[in-house]
Amino acid sequence: MSSLRQRLFGTPAPDTPIRVAAATSATTPATDTPMPVAPPIQEAYLRLKSGLHMQLLERMDLGALEALGDASLRREIARLVEQLLTENPAPINEAERRQLVRDIQHEMLGLGPLELLMADPQVSDILVNSHDQIYVEREGRLVLTTVSFTDDTHLMRIIDKIVSRVGRRIDESSPMVDARLPDGSRVNAIIPPIALDGPMLSIRRFAAIPLRMKDLLEVRKSLSPPMAVLLGALSRSRTNMLISGGTGSGKTTLLNILSGYIPASERIITIEDAAELPLQQPHVVRLETRPPNTEGRGEINQCALVRNALRMRPDRIVIGEVRGAEAIDMLQAMNTGHEGSLTTIHANNPRDALARLESMVSLAGVNMPLRTLRQQIASALSVVIQVSRLPDGQRKVMSIQEISGMEGEVISLQELFRFQQTGVDGGDGVLGHFEATGVRPGFADRLRRQGLALPDDLFDPAPRYP
């Protein structure tokens, strides 16, 4: 019952004015010009909302509500608010009455002021820099909104609500946390004393309907048809691939799409810091890391999960992001029969991605000659895919490169496809085209033997795709 009380109420907000946007226009259009700031809601409205919040806490039978779902709770909250307003009439009109019910529902069951942003399908990121400065990303561009929290206490209450749902905590002794929302959105929060200007919250949202390769081709134009054909064949053929790119470049989105080509008959084990991969296959085992408890014990990191996954008879291992000592276990798995593994890494280009893998292996304390390590990487991985977010917000597959082996002490890479930028348009839009380099990969014969023969002209330098 105490968990329901915390979920519903938290700490009522102080009676101080806040700015909010209208329900129909929480953000600006996709431009750099912020919307006009909405006028402050009057103190009388805030006092009324806070008073109703407290009365609901006293009147609601939490024991009876424990078994209700969100939809039923919303109806019960609306009924009780209407009842309280009937018993104690307030000088508000019908529109304000509906807004009051909605705001209290959002405060109790959702994310308060952020609910308006979460309801906008065009918002991909919500970035709360402080209680009164909230940005969103729309179509790859950051836009300042007119939504705000009352104060830092109000923001902290929402953060506590988010992290408590997934069994995590955030306080002065543990001021950073990764979590997720029920819809799969990824959340990061950081609070003082680490955050100097007050609590900060970042929400990375994912599409309600997972994107498919068709969406990248026809809507987002993130790659060319020959590139799509190649990546689909590589995923079906159990080829080990590494997706490289910066933050927000679309690595996880592409990983999700490539995982969709895995046959339904295979057993897939996913390993993530915060679970966010909505795989559609029927035989999926999802593993998630666990932070230490209040005593500093009980931590389960990705390295331990990778090792345990090897004992679970996986056909494929999908690691959301490799970032530490688990790199050596991942390479060992790829080299010992677990083909078709997928993972992502933060790097600026394919060569840097391989260098980062070398650095991560060193974090595991493995004393291995550099040449031997590079031979392991070259043997384990077959393809590196580089993705980027361009200055105009477009996300593109910039390069697909094959790891063809070793040349002396260096891992040999050969580029198969690339995005060639040719300039910018009248604004700041990036112009360019996708093209093949003319190099035929060494894995083409292996794909043919598996019944996945690629078209003979797939790697021809022409035509180019805008």
Side-chain angles (χ1 to χ4, degrees):
M1 189 179 304
S2 61
S3 62
L4 179 61
R5 179 182 293 272
Q6 182 179 11
R7 173 189 171 198
L8 287 174
F9 302 102
T11 304
D15 297 331
T16 52
I18 61 173
R19 293 174 322 203
V20 297
T24 57
S25 57
T27 62
T28 67
T31 67
D32 294 327
T33 304
M35 288 180 61
V37 176
I41 295 179
Q42 296 181 359
E43 291 187 33
Y45 176 84
L46 289 173
R47 285 197 299 269
L48 176 60
K49 186 175 75 169
S50 181
L52 288 172
H53 200 168
M54 292 298 294
Q55 291 179 62
L56 285 174
L57 177 58
E58 297 171 357
R59 183 168 295 197
M60 294 181 79
D61 184 351
L62 299 187
L65 298 176
E66 188 74 34
L68 295 182
D70 279 356
S72 298
L73 281 172
R74 287 183 183 277
R75 288 193 294 270
E76 180 64 13
I77 290 171
R79 185 187 69 80
L80 287 173
V81 171
E82 292 288 355
Q83 180 179 327
L84 289 171
L85 288 174
T86 301
E87 295 173 0
N88 303 283
I92 56 176
N93 58 36
E94 185 60 30
E96 292 169 334
R97 195 184 190 97
R98 290 194 299 269
Q99 180 181 349
L100 184 63
V101 172
R102 183 203 65 194
D103 288 348
I104 292 179
Q105 288 174 330
H106 287 173
E107 197 67 38
M108 293 182 174
L109 297 177
L111 304 181
L114 298 184
E115 283 295 316
L116 295 175
L117 304 179
M118 294 294 293
D120 187 345
Q122 292 187 326
V123 171
S124 57
D125 284 86
I126 300 174
L127 307 174
V128 182
N129 294 343
S130 62
H131 74 270
D132 58 353
Q133 186 186 73
I134 302 176
Y135 283 83
V136 297
E137 180 184 304
R138 295 162 58 95
E139 300 180 358
R141 297 175 181 268
L142 292 179
V143 180
L144 179 65
T145 74
T146 57
V147 175
S148 69
F149 291 88
T150 305
D151 54 17
D152 287 349
T153 302
H154 188 193
L155 174 54
M156 272 302 305
R157 185 169 71 252
I158 298 300
I159 292 175
D160 285 333
K161 183 184 294 187
I162 292 172
V163 301
S164 63
R165 283 177 176 172
V166 292
R168 303 200 174 188
R169 65 185 180 89
I170 186 167
D171 51 39
E172 288 190 3
S173 63
S174 181
M176 297 181 294
V177 68
D178 288 314
R180 66 181 183 276
L181 298 176
D183 66 355
S185 299
R186 184 170 57 194
V187 178
N188 176 269
I190 182 168
I191 66 173
I194 305 301
L196 301 182
D197 299 322
M200 299 184 183
L201 182 66
S202 303
I203 301 177
R204 173 68 56 82
R205 301 185 63 206
F206 297 97
I209 301 176
L211 295 177
R212 304 295 183 188
M213 187 65 78
K214 182 179 180 180
D215 299 307
L216 296 190
L217 276 171
E218 299 178 1
V219 180
R220 302 196 174 194
K221 302 187 184 302
S222 297
L223 72 173
S224 67
M227 296 165 75
V229 170
L230 175 62
L231 293 180
L234 290 172
S235 187
R236 285 191 292 267
S237 67
R238 301 175 65 89
T239 299
N240 295 327
M241 290 183 280
L242 178 67
I243 303 173
S244 168
T247 300
S249 59
K251 300 187 300 299
T252 303
T253 298
L254 182 58
L255 180 64
N256 272 325
I257 291 173
L258 294 182
S259 68
Y261 290 96
I262 300 176
S265 59
E266 297 188 13
R267 175 176 169 87
I268 308 168
I269 297 180
T270 67
I271 298 170
E272 303 172 81
D273 269 339
E276 59 188 18
L277 294 174
L279 271 62
Q280 304 301 309
Q281 288 82 351
H283 199 166
V284 177
V285 178
R286 304 172 71 205
L287 305 179
E288 185 180 50
T289 61
R290 187 179 71 182
N293 59 21
T294 54
E295 299 175 350
R297 301 176 182 175
E299 179 181 13
I300 306 294
N301 56 28
Q302 284 199 142
C303 186
L305 292 180
V306 172
R307 293 176 182 176
N308 191 79
L310 298 178
R311 305 183 182 100
M312 299 173 67
R313 199 261 177 218
D315 288 313
R316 307 260 190 148
I317 297 177
V318 178
I319 303 177
E321 181 183 338
V322 60
R323 61 182 70 188
E326 69 275 4
I328 183 62
D329 297 289
M330 179 195 70
L331 294 175
Q332 295 286 0
M334 291 178 175
N335 277 319
T336 54
H338 298 89
E339 298 177 328
S341 298
L342 300 168
T343 189
T344 71
I345 192 171
H346 277 81
N348 294 327
N349 55 64
R351 180 65 64 186
D352 286 351
L354 300 182
R356 282 210 68 207
L357 273 181
E358 296 176 15
S359 300
M360 290 174 184
V361 171
S362 67
L363 296 176
V366 177
N367 187 14
M368 184 185 300
L370 184 59
R371 178 179 174 81
T372 303
L373 172 58
R374 289 177 175 173
Q375 286 176 332
Q376 285 223 7
I377 294 174
S379 177
L381 293 170
S382 297
V383 174
V384 182
I385 306 164
Q386 183 69 35
V387 295
S388 295
R389 181 175 59 183
L390 302 180
D392 61 354
Q394 297 184 74
R395 291 173 171 87
K396 302 284 189 183
V397 176
M398 302 298 292
S399 179
I400 301 177
Q401 300 195 20
E402 178 191 24
I403 298 178
S404 56
M406 295 281 294
E407 291 184 3
E409 299 288 329
V410 180
I411 299 175
S412 178
L413 288 168
Q414 55 181 13
E415 190 169 43
L416 308 178
F417 291 93
R418 62 178 171 235
F419 176 76
Q420 188 69 41
Q421 182 174 342
T422 57
V424 294
D425 59 18
D428 58 354
V430 173
L431 302 176
H433 58 262
F434 297 101
E435 61 184 16
T437 62
V439 175
R440 184 174 178 81
F443 55 69
D445 291 335
R446 178 170 61 84
L447 294 184
R448 179 179 52 78
R449 291 193 296 270
Q450 296 182 17
L452 296 168
L454 299 172
D456 292 335
D457 60 351
L458 188 72
F459 303 100
D460 290 349
R464 295 175 175 179
Y465 296 87

